[in-house]
Amino acid sequence: MTYPISILGTPELRKVVEPISADYPDLQNIIKNMWDTMYASEGVGLAAPQVGKSISLFVVDASFGADEEPELADFKRVFINAEIYDRSEQTEPFTEGCLSLPGVHEDVVRPSSISIRYLDENFVEHDVTLGGYAARIIQHEYDHLEGKVFTDRLSPLRKSLLRGKLMGLGKGKFKASYKFKLPK
Ligand code: ZN
């Protein structure tokens, strides 16, 4: 089943998540539903706060990038209790969007590569250094765990230019082809 996606302005998007343990209720089902939700809305990543769950969990499918980065062909991963513990000094801009901010696309500058420790869906620990699309999507999703969205990272000028559009999101002034939840 799919969850409705929380739109900017809903309080759960601004909460810092809690880590989870393997016995978290219904976890495997939640993960399955997050995949279903992500694919139904044509996203490449989805974080638990976007579906109203304040837990340290996100999913990423970066296989779309395999044309340019062949190693991404099977990059479909679940990240539980992730910790980004190193970031490259080198940064780069890339145009991002977010299912919680439909219709908003902006260039965001982020580190080009990251090192991350996380647990997969079987609670097996991984420790990897990634660049390219994977690093970009993971950093975007990781921000959600800390109650941040990508527009928080824009310059003050860019943010002020976007202000009206961002305010409009919470009032339903956008088009989306997926189930969503507006702030009350
Ligand atoms: Zn997002």
Side-chain angles (χ1 to χ4, degrees):
M1 70 161 253
T2 60
Y3 297 122
I5 291 177
S6 297
I7 300 299
L8 186 67
T10 50
E12 45 283 30
L13 272 181
R14 290 307 193 178
K15 277 192 210 155
V16 177
V17 299
E18 301 287 342
I20 53 173
S21 55
D23 60 1
Y24 188 84
D26 213 23
L27 181 60
Q28 295 306 322
N29 214 19
I30 292 171
I31 292 169
K32 185 193 170 295
N33 293 342
M34 284 184 60
W35 283 124
D36 289 351
T37 303
M38 192 194 84
Y39 289 122
S41 51
E42 297 181 356
V44 294
L46 184 71
Q50 294 182 274
V51 294
K53 298 185 188 304
S54 202
I55 56 176
S56 184
L57 165 66
F58 62 86
V59 297
V60 172
D61 185 342
S63 58
F64 70 93
D67 285 351
E68 287 162 65
E69 300 173 31
E71 68 277 17
L72 293 181
D74 57 356
F75 195 104
K76 180 183 166 178
R77 296 189 196 171
V78 176
F79 294 81
I80 293 169
N81 300 346
E83 186 200 355
I84 296 178
Y85 65 90
D86 202 13
R87 294 166 170 86
S88 62
E89 272 179 37
Q90 192 192 339
T91 58
E92 58 192 45
F94 191 82
T95 308
E96 295 187 23
C98 180
L99 295 171
S100 295
L101 286 74
V104 180
H105 299 275
E106 293 289 328
D107 276 0
V108 184
V109 176
R110 296 188 190 268
S112 305
S113 70
I114 54 155
S115 297
I116 184 169
R117 272 188 289 268
Y118 67 97
L119 303 170
D120 64 22
E121 63 274 33
N122 300 313
F123 279 76
V124 175
E125 194 176 320
H126 300 265
D127 187 335
V128 290
T129 298
L130 297 163
Y133 286 125
R136 174 60 57 163
I137 304 167
I138 287 168
Q139 290 179 84
H140 176 115
E141 302 311 329
Y142 191 83
D143 273 356
H144 281 300
L145 304 181
E146 298 186 325
K148 295 189 197 124
V149 296
F150 76 96
T151 50
D152 298 343
R153 297 195 173 275
L154 303 176
S155 69
L157 173 63
R158 197 68 212 137
K159 266 192 274 198
S160 69
L161 291 171
L162 269 176
R163 200 162 165 267
K165 194 169 187 181
L166 296 181
M167 297 283 283
L169 291 177
K171 299 179 180 121
K173 292 181 185 163
F174 60 85
K175 284 200 178 77
S177 57
Y178 43 84
K179 282 192 292 181
F180 56 82
K181 185 182 156 199
L182 294 174
K184 290 216 172 70

